[in-house]
Amino acid sequence: MEQIEKDKIIERQLRFQELLISISTKYINSDLSDIDKLIRESLQQIGTFVESDRSYIFSYDFKNNTTSNTYEWCAKGIEPEIDNLKDIPIGFITQWLDAHKRGEAFFVEDVSKLPKDGEHGLRAILEPQGIQSLITIPKIKNNELIGFIGFDSVKKINKYNDNEKDILFVFANMLVNVIQRKEQEERIKEQEKKKEELLHNLSLQNEELNEYAHVVSHDLKAPLINIHTMVGWFMEDNKALLTKNHLVPLKHILFNVEKMDFLIKGILDYSAIDRKKTEETQVDFNILVNEILKTLLIPEHVTIIVQDNLPKIYGNASRFKQVFQNLIQNGVKYSNEDKGTVNIGFTENKDHYEFFIKDDGIGIKQDYFERIFKIFTKLESTSSSSGIGLSIVKKIITYYKGTIWLESEVGVGSTFYFTLPKR
């Protein structure tokens, strides 16, 4: 007879362990978007197995010294208590709080045998809920007590052996882990949401700034044209009367008007990169570079060498033209003054093309390698250059998810490299 009882106990423990494994598997494999449903289902499964009538989860709030019921399952015919058990002062449950702080379960086999210790005593709290037996298991996260799970027996007195208590501890740890995982997912989602909002706001701000730059720049062009025209007419109409001393400041005015015009054009081009909704096609870079070279004023002492069989890349021809035109002009401008050479070529990689435009000119100090790609940056101020060309190039390359960099040696020359992904 004793062996039969032992076998029954062992069988029950095995079934309990199998149930716990099943719940654990569900926690691991399920989408935690409906964690509340998962927890309630597991409370029902465990509660039913241990023959309790009410199973629940409480959270401790040690800042306010209260505890609150957060989840509850009730057997058929058992009144729920979750709405009545919010912000309960922990002073009402000092016995089981002390046990939980020690990492132990708090077990009352027969509530009727508890001492009558006043209206706020443990017996006075449990009896109105119809509880005959009770066990609560601490929930501990990172060595910190955060709450407990509990099982009430209303219809009959219930006993829990040590093995069952151990299994309930495992269940408590599972709940902590799944809730912690859910909290981490929610934090990640919140961070992603904030990131999306930030990117959206930045996009709107960028669009507004580009629009503002476009409008302002466009409005500035008209008076500049008028100034240039009027000064030109004045010089033409009065050329017989104007001395060299008169012409110097007037030519200086025209120079600065042209400089401002280049600057405004640069701002318009820079602000338009993200705003252009132009058609994208397969662009043949052999044709594109050849067309650019036909339109540029290239001094006789400069030779342009273009590698054969440049690739074709899907994109916007106008943007690609801006890249090559700015870099080729830059190479021509700063090439060797006696006999300069500008080389244009590429190498093919697995997922991108790497282009280069190399000159043999004055070179650039390494301190300026990053600065020259910033808007309005110029290494010299004697020309009418806007200082925007290289920033436009970088913005376009970045738009196509490429990279651009520079290698240079003072007195030897410079090479601009940039990549464009194969598409």
Side-chain angles (χ1 to χ4, degrees):
M1 189 68 179
E2 288 183 5
Q3 186 59 44
I4 294 174
E5 288 299 320
K6 287 181 181 179
D7 290 344
K8 285 182 179 180
I9 292 173
I10 292 172
E11 182 190 357
R12 175 180 169 82
Q13 290 173 359
L14 289 173
R15 286 192 291 113
F16 202 175
Q17 291 172 6
E18 287 174 0
L19 173 60
L20 210 60
I21 292 170
S22 173
I23 293 172
S24 176
T25 302
K26 187 177 291 187
Y27 280 170
I28 293 170
N29 296 326
S30 297
D31 180 2
L32 295 183
S33 59
D34 196 6
I35 188 174
D36 293 344
K37 181 181 177 183
L38 282 174
I39 290 175
R40 290 193 191 96
E41 286 179 352
S42 61
L43 283 175
Q44 178 182 358
Q45 289 175 294
I46 298 291
T48 301
F49 188 89
V50 299
E51 299 178 3
S52 71
D53 302 302
R54 189 187 293 120
S55 56
Y56 46 82
I57 300 174
F58 272 69
S59 293
Y60 280 125
D61 179 358
F62 291 112
K63 183 178 180 180
N64 297 306
N65 290 321
T66 59
T67 185
S68 295
N69 194 176
T70 54
Y71 294 92
E72 181 187 57
W73 165 79
C74 295
K76 187 175 181 180
I78 302 300
E79 287 294 318
E81 293 289 345
I82 188 169
D83 293 333
N84 303 323
L85 299 172
K86 303 292 185 185
D87 300 319
I88 305 298
I90 58 177
F92 291 179
I93 54 169
T94 55
Q95 297 100 318
W96 71 40
L97 177 58
D98 290 340
H100 293 169
K101 285 182 176 180
R102 295 191 301 269
E104 300 173 357
F106 180 74
F107 175 50
V108 178
E109 185 175 333
D110 189 346
V111 170
S112 66
K113 293 182 179 179
L114 289 172
K116 294 182 179 180
D117 49 359
E119 60 176 334
H120 297 308
L122 185 59
R123 181 171 175 175
I125 293 173
L126 300 180
E127 278 189 333
Q129 300 177 51
I131 299 172
Q132 295 194 53
S133 298
L134 165 143
I135 187 170
T136 62
I137 310 291
K139 286 198 308 170
I140 298 172
K141 182 174 84 172
N142 299 328
N143 296 319
E144 180 183 351
L145 179 63
I146 62 169
F148 59 90
I149 61 170
F151 299 89
D152 295 344
S153 298
V154 176
K155 298 176 182 178
K156 65 175 185 177
I157 290 175
N158 205 349
K159 295 182 179 181
Y160 296 88
N161 60 44
D162 289 341
N163 287 322
E164 288 177 333
K165 290 178 185 178
D166 290 341
I167 294 174
L168 290 177
F169 266 98
V170 174
F171 177 59
N173 289 332
M174 284 169 47
L175 284 174
V176 169
N177 291 334
V178 74
I179 292 173
Q180 191 172 12
R181 183 174 148 202
K182 176 64 175 179
E183 290 172 349
Q184 289 171 347
E185 284 193 1
E186 288 176 347
R187 279 197 295 270
I188 291 171
K189 287 180 181 178
E190 186 63 29
Q191 289 171 354
E192 288 295 324
K193 182 180 177 182
K194 288 181 180 178
K195 180 181 176 182
E196 288 177 8
E197 289 176 356
L198 178 62
L199 290 174
H200 178 68
N201 291 335
L202 286 174
S203 177
L204 290 177
Q205 290 174 19
N206 189 50
E207 188 175 333
E208 289 171 359
L209 285 171
N210 284 339
E211 184 66 31
Y212 178 75
H214 180 80
V215 171
V216 171
S217 301
H218 188 270
D219 290 346
L220 285 173
K221 285 186 74 70
L224 278 179
I225 292 170
N226 289 337
I227 293 171
H228 194 280
T229 302
M230 292 173 67
V231 171
W233 285 347
F234 179 80
M235 292 173 66
E236 180 66 26
D237 293 343
N238 297 278
K239 60 184 177 181
L241 301 174
L242 297 174
T243 67
K244 185 178 180 181
N245 290 336
H246 294 131
L247 289 173
V248 169
L250 289 172
K251 288 181 178 179
H252 189 64
I253 290 172
L254 290 178
F255 174 81
N256 280 288
V257 168
E258 291 172 0
K259 191 173 182 179
M260 179 63 78
D261 187 55
F262 278 121
L263 180 63
I264 291 171
K265 183 180 182 302
I267 293 173
L268 284 170
D269 290 340
Y270 188 83
S271 65
I273 291 170
D274 295 328
R275 297 170 63 248
K276 282 183 179 178
K277 301 297 180 183
T278 49
E279 181 183 357
E280 295 204 335
T281 58
Q282 195 80 3
V283 180
D284 187 332
F285 280 24
N286 299 284
I287 298 173
L288 182 135
V289 170
N290 186 49
E291 289 177 349
I292 291 172
L293 294 178
K294 287 180 180 178
T295 61
L296 293 180
L297 293 175
I298 300 173
E300 291 183 1
H301 72 281
V302 176
T303 302
I304 308 293
I305 301 174
V306 183
Q307 182 178 331
D308 292 333
N309 298 319
L310 295 176
K312 297 177 182 178
I313 298 180
Y314 188 82
N316 177 257
S318 176
R319 289 194 181 102
F320 290 151
K321 185 176 181 180
Q322 281 183 292
V323 171
F324 278 93
Q325 185 168 299
N326 275 296
L327 291 177
I328 293 171
Q329 281 180 324
N330 198 72
V332 170
K333 182 177 180 180
Y334 295 107
S335 63
N336 189 287
E337 292 182 355
D338 297 325
K339 190 176 181 181
T341 303
V342 176
N343 284 277
I344 303 166
F346 81 104
T347 56
E348 182 175 358
N349 295 285
K350 182 180 179 181
D351 55 0
H352 68 274
Y353 294 105
E354 181 182 300
F355 296 89
F356 64 87
I357 296 177
K358 179 180 181 181
D359 66 62
D360 55 358
I362 60 175
I364 301 170
K365 292 181 179 179
Q366 190 169 359
D367 294 345
Y368 294 103
F369 281 14
E370 291 297 325
R371 287 175 53 192
I372 60 172
F373 292 110
K374 294 181 179 179
I375 194 166
F376 304 130
T377 298
K378 296 194 296 180
L379 301 186
E380 43 83 25
S381 58
T382 56
S383 72
S384 59
S385 169
S386 65
I388 300 178
L390 289 177
S391 60
I392 289 174
V393 169
K394 182 170 184 178
K395 191 172 184 181
I396 292 172
I397 297 301
T398 303
Y399 177 86
Y400 283 107
K401 296 181 172 55
T403 56
I404 183 167
W405 68 97
L406 165 68
E407 291 181 4
S408 183
E409 185 178 345
V410 175
V412 177
S414 303
T415 304
F416 285 87
Y417 295 92
F418 64 92
T419 64
L420 290 172
K422 295 179 178 179
R423 301 179 69 190

